[in-house]
Amino acid sequence: MKDTYDKSLPFAASIRWIKKETRDTLSFALRIEDEHIRKAYAFAPGQFNMLSVPGVGEAPISISSGPSDDILLHTIRVAGDVTTALSRFEAGNVLGVRGPFGNGWPMERAEMKRLLIIAGGLGIAPLRPVLRYMLKNEKPNASPAEIPPLIYGARSPRNILFRDEFRSYAAVFDVHITVDKADPQEHWSGNIGLMPPLLDKISLSSKAPDTTAFICGPEVMMRCLIEELLARGLRGENIFLSMERNMNCGMGTCGHCMFAQKFVCKDGPVFRYQDIAALLAVKEL
Amino acid sequence: MKSRLKDFFEVLGPSYRIIGPKIENGVVILAEIKYGDIPAGYRDSQKPGRYRLSPEKDSQVFSFSSGPDSFKRFLNPPLAELFHFHRFETGLGITSPPFSEKGGISETGLPICFMGIRACDLWALKLYDRIFPGGRVRDRTYESLRRNSLIIAFNCLYPSGNCFCLSTGTGPEVKDTFDVAVTELKDSFLLEEGSARGKEILGLLPLGHAGERQSLEKRERIETCKALFRKSIAADELPEIIFRNLDHPHWEDIARRDLECGNCTQVCPTCFCNTSYDFVYPGGISGEDKCNLELSGRRLRKWDSCFSRDFAQVHGGNFRLSRKARYRHWMAHKLAYMQDQFGLPGCVGCGRCITWCPAGIDITRELEALRPHS
Ligand SMILES: Cc1cc2nc3c(=O)[nH]c(=O)nc-3n(C[C@H](O)[C@H](O)[C@H](O)COP(=O)(O)OP(=O)(O)OC[C@H]3O[C@@H](n4cnc5c(N)ncnc54)[C@H](O)[C@@H]3O)c2cc1C
Ligand code: SF4
Ligand code: SF4
């Protein structure tokens, strides 16, 4: 699709509302101010925007809303300059947006293949559009074998993002959540511990070679889970992961996000595991 | 006869900013020049970490080879303004710089004429035309500076001691991407058109007729030049040597010599990495120290280098923490990644990174050390 606006310049977006998700993470619902851009703006699940606080800088942030939602949602963890500045914004304030950038998840597979979705921590942000999409396009009378598993891991119960939404996801997904640890006063009765053991709770075996996995989370978590998935019979060509690197321009001209010959901003952030497995094996590329 | 080169300047002067070679601080740099600025008859001596310029007493005009500068400083300025912003509580104004439709820098509104660009740099230019695309995502700075630029290319007759374009297949002869190609002959210049615009320009010059004799002399001179090369790389074994040796112990050895000054990235005509940042006008701040204050400023883009320590830094860590990893990234980008990314060689064999490396690190020798049986 050809963009009819200039992606090298930020456009104004006003904040409709802000929701505090966890202690350090906020969701921002945005509305694109310019009518022409609002109409032309279209994204695919897994793409990201460069959010600009002019005077402070820019940061790449995944789009967390569903493709047909009427607001543009970003869920942001306060990390440094730009994200801190954003955390001080209020509803009604205006920020700059460039995008969407990146390739996104291979959504045709969400229709065709059995899907397995795995998110760790903030890694749920670029996967939420997939969840929203599938919720909207729910397959009626899906047989239990077709129900896609959704595995989510968070540091603690109070760090679970979009916590109130998981109940609705359970209508379409076989949901499994785990936390690293839980304080007694959090009244957590769910799983505690790392994510790999959850893979034993979903039945993969015979379907494994045909299962497509979408994974996003800290790189160490993804590496470890991918190993587990391969051991359980998933194929490298069916595993997709979303990578994070330093990004400055979002358009492949600044060089910051290079992961060997890949520009994470335009060749990714979603990569087929098989295509980058050899590169992931080398340290510090 | 050779002073007729001046005609070029007269014909092109009114419609172009002519960028060509000139001596500054004992070095041939590129700048906006007049005919008289050309360092006619100077010869450079280049070795790893060394550059010396001396007047040569022969009748050649272009006996010098490339200095540290290349077209990149003009098409991708070291500091460029991306846009101006004015931000207030409930609004955001973005104004892009006034790019000229004619091409070139807005103040003069004139497109650039590169006078004396060499074969290696033409390959780098071709690469730049792919890096900063005019397509889906536009780079407006590059696009407007490149627009209508005129290329007067020169065939090299004297490679510097660090040139190895013969082995990378990117020189010394210019093959395409030019409007006019110039070859210095014994008593005259041979001019060849490479585009419709080049033809038009040649039509404006009082030229004599060139025939078989001149073509033959050109060939002879280029062949003589080819015999003068002293450096080469195993280009036909690329990118495999790099990809197979990403864990080679030699990277550690280079890291011990590397000073991480980034000179190599600044002089390399294919290096393009940059960082943009916001510059707030002093006094542009009003209101309390809150984020919804009103301010205005500019987003600027400056050349950066993968040797910068925080280049691959993210919130949770640094993807290239070691010096070894940073050097490897640079060299692998040149010799392996770029070909994959843009379909063109990332090293054009100009030798600049060798000459301007204060540690005298020589990319051709480092590659050789990675090769099996060497
Ligand atoms: C494709 C992609 C999608 C992302 N999606 C989200 C999201 O949905 N929500 C979210 O909270 N975060 C997301 N991030 C991470 C987010 O971009 C960083 O946390 C953010 O850039 C930090 O910016 P800052 O100005 O607040 O920190 P800084 O003050 O910039 O400090 C962090 C340091 O890391 C550098 N940096 C540059 N790029 C990154 C990066 N990608 N990650 C971390 N540091 C970086 C900065 O230059 C600086 O050196 C995403 C990152 C990528 C690459
Ligand atoms: S890597 Fe060195 S020799 Fe190759 S193009 Fe760059 S500066 Fe020239
Ligand atoms: S290789 Fe040489 S020029 Fe490049 S950063 Fe190292 S010391 Fe500087």
Side-chain angles (χ1 to χ4, degrees), chain B residues 164 264 267-270 330 334 346-354 363:
Chain B
F164 55 98
C264 48
V267 297
C268 176
T270 72
W330 177 71
K334 302 286 101 174
C347 171
V348 298
C350 71
R352 288 183 177 97
C353 60
I354 309 174
I363 191 170

Side-chain angles (χ1 to χ4, degrees), chain A residues 194-245:
Chain A
L194 297 174
M195 299 174 74
L198 288 188
L199 293 176
D200 295 328
K201 299 203 171 190
I202 57 171
S203 53
L204 272 175
S205 52
S206 66
K207 287 156 273 162
D210 286 324
T211 299
T212 292
F214 289 179
I215 312 181
C216 186
E219 207 163 303
V220 275
M221 174 216 104
M222 294 197 287
R223 283 167 187 262
C224 155
L225 276 163
I226 288 170
E227 253 174 49
E228 297 279 340
L229 291 175
L230 294 170
R232 283 169 168 77
L234 262 81
R235 289 218 269 257
E237 74 220 49
N238 292 334
I239 299 177
F240 295 84
L241 63 156
S242 181
M243 308 250 309
E244 185 178 344
R245 282 293 182 274

Side-chain angles (χ1 to χ4, degrees), chain B residues 43-155:
Chain B
R43 188 79 65 91
D44 47 44
S45 142
Q46 302 194 29
K47 294 200 178 89
R50 190 174 192 279
Y51 178 99
R52 294 289 180 278
L53 193 64
S54 52
E56 189 74 17
K57 293 190 180 48
D58 59 25
S59 60
Q60 296 295 301
V61 177
F62 289 92
S63 28
F64 53 92
S65 55
S66 297
D69 257 349
S70 68
F71 69 87
K72 97 166 173 182
R73 193 157 65 80
F74 300 90
L75 295 182
N76 168 26
L79 191 64
E81 176 180 335
L82 298 181
F83 53 83
H84 171 274
F85 57 80
H86 178 76
R87 162 187 142 196
F88 45 102
E89 209 167 310
T90 54
L92 174 65
I94 300 285
T95 341
S96 68
F99 294 114
S100 155
E101 278 309 307
K102 274 200 277 175
I105 273 180
S106 54
E107 299 123 56
T108 63
L110 289 182
I112 298 173
C113 162
F114 288 105
M115 176 70 76
I117 192 165
R118 313 299 176 107
C120 56
D121 284 1
L122 281 186
W123 279 88
L125 178 64
K126 230 190 284 197
L127 183 76
Y128 255 60
D129 285 344
R130 296 192 186 177
I131 297 169
F132 294 103
R136 208 169 79 82
V137 181
R138 301 162 68 197
D139 187 85
R140 314 238 295 163
T141 310
Y142 185 78
E143 194 182 82
S144 63
L145 288 169
R146 177 78 167 98
R147 189 179 303 139
N148 295 331
S149 56
L150 185 77
I151 309 292
I152 314 283
F154 276 63
N155 278 314

